[in-house]
Amino acid sequence: MNYFNYEKELIVSIISAGTTPKAIDVLESITTEMFSNEHCAYLYDKIQDMYRSGEPIDQTELIGSLPSDDMHMVIEFFKQSSGSASNVRGYAKRVRQGHLIRKAQKTMLHAIQELETCNNESRIGDVANYLEQTIKSLVIETDEKKPRSFEQIA
């Protein structure tokens, strides 16, 4: 699933929400590295800077904090967006879910590489232990549940 739209909508909804309790909750729980799109991550980082500095969080302030070459991103995001302040937590959840899925995929790909390169029978036990720990450490979040590790689910 492509999470770009959720990331873009989160940016717009935070700007629309300003410093409401919902937006502040999101700003304190979502990190820049949770974004897959570099432009969204860049803008979110700028919003985080505004929040940490105590500056107002709105479209005008964000555009004013950007180099002139980057201003068009914010304008385009708002033109293409249906995001609203009331959905800020929902978009944040989708961004977090996308981050957790990408992280799980990366972890599992590494585990598969370990299996593929295990050409020594004496390492089979080590690889099996590694796979077990890898699966237990994966974290997922569904629409009904907060982030939990597979170990907590099993």
Side-chain angles (χ1 to χ4, degrees):
M1 181 181 274
N2 182 346
Y3 285 86
F4 169 68
N5 286 333
Y6 293 120
E7 293 176 4
K8 181 177 67 171
E9 296 298 332
L10 178 60
I11 299 294
V12 172
S13 65
I14 288 173
I15 293 298
S16 299
T19 54
T20 61
K22 286 181 182 180
I24 290 170
D25 182 45
V26 169
L27 287 165
E28 292 178 352
S29 65
I30 299 294
T31 61
T32 304
E33 52 271 353
M34 291 181 177
F35 288 78
S36 61
N37 180 277
E38 67 183 77
H39 299 297
C40 290
Y42 171 73
L43 291 177
Y44 187 75
D45 190 51
K46 291 293 187 183
I47 293 168
Q48 285 279 5
D49 288 345
M50 292 164 58
Y51 171 64
R52 285 189 290 267
S53 300
E55 297 174 27
I57 298 175
D58 61 30
Q59 187 176 2
T60 303
E61 290 292 326
L62 179 59
I63 289 172
S65 73
L66 299 172
S68 58
D69 292 346
D70 296 334
M71 292 178 186
H72 71 281
M73 275 191 292
V74 176
I75 295 165
E76 286 302 312
F77 277 16
F78 271 84
K79 280 184 186 177
Q80 301 168 1
S81 174
S82 61
S84 71
S86 62
N87 293 332
V88 69
R89 285 187 177 144
Y91 294 130
K93 181 176 186 171
R94 295 293 185 217
V95 168
R96 188 174 47 250
Q97 285 173 331
H99 167 70
L100 293 172
I101 287 170
R102 287 187 303 278
K103 192 173 175 182
Q105 288 171 336
K106 185 177 178 181
T107 300
M108 291 307 294
L109 286 172
H110 186 265
I112 290 169
Q113 288 175 343
E114 286 292 315
L115 280 172
E116 289 175 345
T117 60
C118 180
N119 53 14
N120 184 339
E121 291 177 9
S122 65
R123 286 197 58 233
I124 291 174
D126 293 338
V127 171
N129 287 334
Y130 172 77
L131 291 173
E132 182 179 353
Q133 293 307 311
T134 297
I135 291 170
K136 285 181 179 180
S137 72
L138 294 178
V139 176
I140 60 166
E141 177 179 5
T142 66
D143 287 342
E144 294 82 32
K145 301 203 184 318
K146 296 275 186 194
R148 295 179 358 175
S149 69
F150 275 92
E151 188 171 40
Q152 291 172 318
I153 296 169

